[in-house]
Amino acid sequence: MTNTLPSLKNHKMEKYRKPDKFYTDRYDRFTIQELKMLEAKESTELQEVTDSHDRCKIEIQHCMDFKSFKNTAISRARNREATIREWMTADEHQDRLVATHPLPTNITCDSCGAPMRFCLHFFDVESIPLLFVFECPASHAPRKVIYPNGREFFFPWPTCGQCGYEVTRESYKENDVLYTTTTCPMCGSVKNDELNLNAIQRPELPVTEDDRQKYCLSFFNGRTFYEDLEALANLFDSIEEEQKEQLLKEHYEVDKIEKLTIPALENRLQKAIESTGFIKFFFAQPEMKTWAVVPFNIQDPTDRNDKKSIKAATICIQQSLYLTNWRLVGGIDYRLGCLTGKLKAYEREEDLIKLAKDIKESKK
Ligand SMILES: [Zn+2]
Ligand SMILES: [Zn+2]
């Protein structure tokens, strides 16, 4: 078993939350890389196809494939803001955890007794929000993983993928490669792993503004093939609805409903009301909101009682308005010979159809 470890970069002083550009670049860099790859793949697929039918088939396949260039571009664009925000929030959360938990002290190496130095944080290991990793300055293995309260944390012993029994591990280092052999004493399975300790991290490519514009920012309002299909289906539906409405209008003879303006309504009711023995019919200020509603006042100079007076006014108004787009709403109130109520206008096609239907059915 090897007893020295490769040195890890000391992250102690670095903040996890980076400037905003770091996150947008990270997101856009991946988008650009992914889309350039898909763009090249799709153009290769079309390159040697000259027959227009065959080209069309391939293009349709590209449209329908969720992982095609266009669909990927749209989905990356739509998720961009939320993902970047999520990354920032996660890093800010890590900084808060670090700021509120001081570095454990007096951690010493089990091999040489030297004070160990902090090398990195672990977050959310086995549901533990924060752990500190320490290494021996002389690189003695193993590193120690410490809880914020100074207690040592031990990873659960690895188990065999085949039988679940605890496995044993042996490692050795050669030419900067860490070779690990995992053996199960129960079923005898053996697994070999190699870890290149000097793996060269690929340098992160800078994001050019042209690429960002082309691959990341121009797809925000794009529509996928399936959304186009849906829009088309909705269009058909609305045409059908319109046709249905037209048929209903014809069937119920909506055009025969008289659409009265407020002055015409006032004029008509005045005559009808006054011929029923009432006087001083007038409209108050109309309420013009979703519905047009007009309050009215009438006086009854006769010696009818309230019930008779209300009944006479109601019948008179209902009959006068029956073939129009106006209706009495709520009841009529009576007090000291003064009657008040409200009239409402129906203007929307669907409401007119309903009125026309009632009229037609009442004639049966
Ligand atoms: Zn040591
Ligand atoms: Zn096993």
Side-chain angles (χ1 to χ4, degrees):
M1 187 95 98
T2 181
N3 65 343
T4 57
L5 291 165
S7 179
L8 285 166
K9 192 175 156 211
N10 191 332
H11 290 279
K12 189 180 163 189
M13 302 310 290
E14 259 177 56
K15 282 262 186 210
Y16 287 97
R17 173 61 156 93
K18 310 281 186 304
D20 291 2
K21 191 175 178 337
F22 170 86
Y23 302 93
T24 41
D25 278 0
R26 185 209 270 175
Y27 192 89
D28 290 349
R29 186 178 296 113
F30 183 82
T31 304
I32 292 165
Q33 196 182 320
E34 180 88 352
L35 290 182
K36 279 187 173 173
M37 193 263 293
L38 289 169
E39 193 177 36
K41 177 177 160 270
E42 288 178 14
S43 91
T44 313
E45 281 165 7
L46 281 168
Q47 211 163 35
E48 278 158 24
V49 185
T50 45
D51 182 80
S52 63
H53 257 87
D54 291 344
R55 286 182 74 84
C56 186
K57 255 194 220 161
I58 295 175
E59 276 161 1
I60 289 175
Q61 273 167 8
H62 291 165
C63 281
M64 291 170 65
D65 181 359
F66 284 111
K67 289 179 177 161
S68 70
F69 173 82
K70 189 183 170 196
N71 292 332
T72 305
I74 292 172
S75 121
R76 293 280 309 166
R78 287 180 187 171
N79 292 326
R80 186 173 184 260
E81 205 185 314
T83 308
I84 291 172
R85 171 63 34 212
E86 213 172 278
W87 286 341
M88 291 174 176
T89 311
D91 283 357
E92 282 160 12
H93 174 68
Q94 294 190 344
D95 280 332
R96 262 198 307 280
L97 275 177
V98 170
T100 49
H101 295 91
L103 199 62
T105 50
N106 301 326
I107 312 297
T108 52
C109 171
D110 289 344
S111 302
C112 67
M116 296 178 98
R117 63 184 174 209
F118 164 78
C119 60
L120 72 142
H121 295 113
F122 281 160
F123 296 97
D124 294 321
V125 173
E126 307 263 317
S127 323
I128 301 155
L130 172 66
L131 291 165
F132 300 87
V133 183
F134 285 80
E135 64 185 358
C136 167
S139 301
H140 290 129
R143 292 192 181 94
K144 280 190 180 175
V145 183
I146 309 292
Y147 285 98
N149 65 6
R151 213 155 43 85
E152 187 168 358
F153 168 85
F154 297 97
F155 281 96
W157 198 257
T159 52
C160 171
Q162 314 254 348
C163 72
Y165 198 78
E166 284 187 356
V167 292
T168 57
R169 272 196 182 146
E170 294 217 339
S171 307
Y172 67 95
K173 199 165 79 173
E174 200 177 277
N175 299 331
D176 280 334
V177 178
L178 183 69
Y179 297 91
T180 307
T181 305
T182 308
T183 315
C184 174
M186 181 58 77
C187 70
S189 85
V190 178
K191 203 169 140 245
N192 292 307
D193 292 300
E194 288 174 23
L195 177 68
N196 187 347
L197 301 173
N198 260 351
I200 301 158
Q201 279 203 329
R202 264 193 290 166
E204 287 189 332
L205 298 169
V207 174
T208 70
E209 290 312 309
D210 283 351
D211 277 353
R212 201 194 304 274
Q213 189 55 42
K214 176 176 171 188
Y215 295 101
C216 310
L217 303 177
S218 62
F219 287 93
F220 277 116
N221 300 318
R223 237 173 16 188
T224 65
F225 174 67
Y226 293 96
E227 286 162 343
D228 277 339
L229 269 189
E230 208 184 325
L232 207 59
N234 289 340
L235 182 68
F236 278 128
D237 279 354
S238 74
I239 289 173
E240 258 182 35
E241 282 298 313
E242 268 172 38
Q243 279 177 343
K244 226 161 53 188
E245 204 170 271
Q246 192 52 40
L247 286 173
L248 281 173
K249 273 164 75 178
E250 282 164 22
H251 179 72
Y252 291 119
E253 301 174 321
V254 169
D255 287 346
K256 288 194 180 164
I257 291 184
E258 214 179 334
K259 289 173 208 89
L260 294 179
T261 61
I262 292 175
L265 174 74
E266 190 168 21
N267 193 26
R268 174 161 323 179
L269 278 181
Q270 179 123 32
K271 283 180 196 152
I273 282 284
E274 286 176 3
S275 68
T276 322
F278 295 98
I279 54 165
K280 293 190 179 172
F281 168 84
F282 73 94
F283 277 170
Q285 185 65 29
E287 299 159 17
M288 297 294 202
K289 290 177 184 164
T290 316
W291 304 94
V293 176
V294 191
F296 63 83
N297 290 267
I298 316 167
Q299 290 189 14
D300 190 351
T302 69
D303 53 5
R304 286 180 279 210
N305 68 19
D306 55 346
K307 278 185 187 148
K308 280 185 179 161
S309 184
I310 290 173
K311 193 175 175 190
T314 306
I315 290 172
C316 170
I317 292 173
Q318 280 176 341
Q319 283 177 349
S320 318
L321 300 183
Y322 195 57
L323 296 176
T324 75
N325 63 326
W326 287 87
R327 287 290 178 272
L328 183 64
V329 283
I332 293 179
D333 287 326
Y334 176 97
R335 196 165 175 184
L336 301 170
C338 186
L339 293 92
T340 52
K342 284 178 177 180
L343 300 169
K344 176 173 158 183
Y346 292 87
E347 293 164 285
R348 295 187 309 189
E349 291 289 346
E350 58 202 274
D351 297 321
L352 290 170
I353 291 173
K354 242 186 242 166
L355 289 186
K357 191 177 169 199
D358 290 345
I359 294 168
K360 186 154 183 163
E361 278 169 3
S362 71
K363 284 182 189 161
K364 278 180 190 165

